[in-house]
Amino acid sequence: MLSTDILIVGAGIAGAGLAAAIDGRRDVILLEQEARPGHHSTGRSAAIFIQNYGNAVIRALSAASRPLFDMPEPEYFPEPLLSPRGILFVAGKDDLGDHEALLAESDGLVPFSAEGAAEMVPLLDPSGIVASAYEPDASDIDVNALHQGWLRKARGKGCVIQLDAALTGARRSAGKWLVETSAGAIEANVIVNAAGAWADTVAAACEVPRVGLVPMRRTMAVLPCPDGYDCRHWPLVSSSGDHWYFKPDAGRLLVSPGDEDPVEPHDAFVDDMVLAEGLDRYQQAVLAEVTRVETSWAGLRTFAPDRTPVVGFDAGIDGFFWLAGQGGYGIQTSPALSQVASNILLGEELPASLAAAAEAMSPRRFPQ
Ligand SMILES: Cc1cc2nc3c(=O)[nH]c(=O)nc-3n(C[C@H](O)[C@H](O)[C@H](O)COP(=O)(O)OP(=O)(O)OC[C@H]3O[C@@H](n4cnc5c(N)ncnc54)[C@H](O)[C@@H]3O)c2cc1C
């Protein structure tokens, strides 16, 4: 039987980031049920960093992540992880309330006129815009480079990565976990639950109470850039109420209906009706017809009831550590979240700027 200090379940951005942040200070096995890491949410994101996104905890983690994105360790990240994009929020009369709330809690959002918005992105129909604002520092993230960099670092520091290996059950006995996986048994001092949409399922398999995580489907479609427009340098454009967004992607347009439908954990696929309704909302905001969808996919954004990640040791079960519920922000918060998770896991002091966020993320906030 294999034996380790820490068994991390899930090799998405969360598990990979934590394995890298542990930095060889403990023996780690990183377990992944799929044949390749990144098959689920991590490989399906919109790859954007937006500071003015999510609740106060998310914003604190994003702000703390930004310098780590801007100056990553060159040994593992030889190319820049961020490239300039910007985000333009536009509100029609129906999402003016959302827009005002966004402005009230934002940092560095520049209010824009409807004409200014349409000048920046000529595809927008100015007649439907009643308010607009621009975040210049929003950036595209090279998610694959980030994920592969974390995995490379983890491996280089001695972490063993087991693919095609699903945790199927675990029980705690004499201060250790005896873990059943589809690739054999493993003994571990600590289990880290970084299983994304399956985090509550993994908890149940370890006889740990669920915390109420809900996977929500989000759809993405790739459309050709409309004839007569050069969309390459546009910012990401989002309705202030998150009812749709689009961003340039390799000469095409990536469009999302902004859907958030609760589903069971699964290998997510597109609901054609949700996509059609979402494209209709997008269509109403722009001046060109949707002629063709080149490709589409869906992924799961998994939220706790308070939309704050769940990070820390379980309150009731020894040696069970949560790293879940990153919702729609798991890539942009990954550098800081990996660091905080590793600090808590190894009993180290937290950066003062993230102590309140760490407290808010504790699994102890859930009733036992
Ligand atoms: C359409 C879409 C757009 C998004 N856009 C952005 C964005 O622009 N910016 C941003 O920051 N975030 C974005 N997100 C959110 C981000 O993708 C997620 O928060 C993040 O990828 C979650 O990472 P994870 O490692 O927790 O989950 P995952 O990547 O899903 O990894 C969990 C892993 O656990 C494995 N696993 C599960 N059960 C077991 C088991 N029993 N045994 C072994 N392995 C198991 C799974 O196979 C999976 O690989 C987006 C998400 C979606 C779906």
Side-chain angles (χ1 to χ4, degrees), residues 9-15 31-34 38-42 44-48 141 165-167 194-198 202 218-220 245 297 299-301 326-333:
V9 183
I13 202 78
L31 198 71
E32 171 54 52
Q33 65 184 356
E34 303 290 350
H39 176 77
H40 293 290
S41 305
T42 296
R44 305 180 193 202
S45 86
I48 189 89
I141 307 172
L167 178 147
W198 288 266
V202 163
R218 175 145 295 193
T219 309
M220 310 288 296
Y245 64 83
W297 69 89
L300 303 179
R301 300 155 84 241
Q326 294 89 337
Y329 332 98
I331 312 292
Q332 68 175 54
T333 57

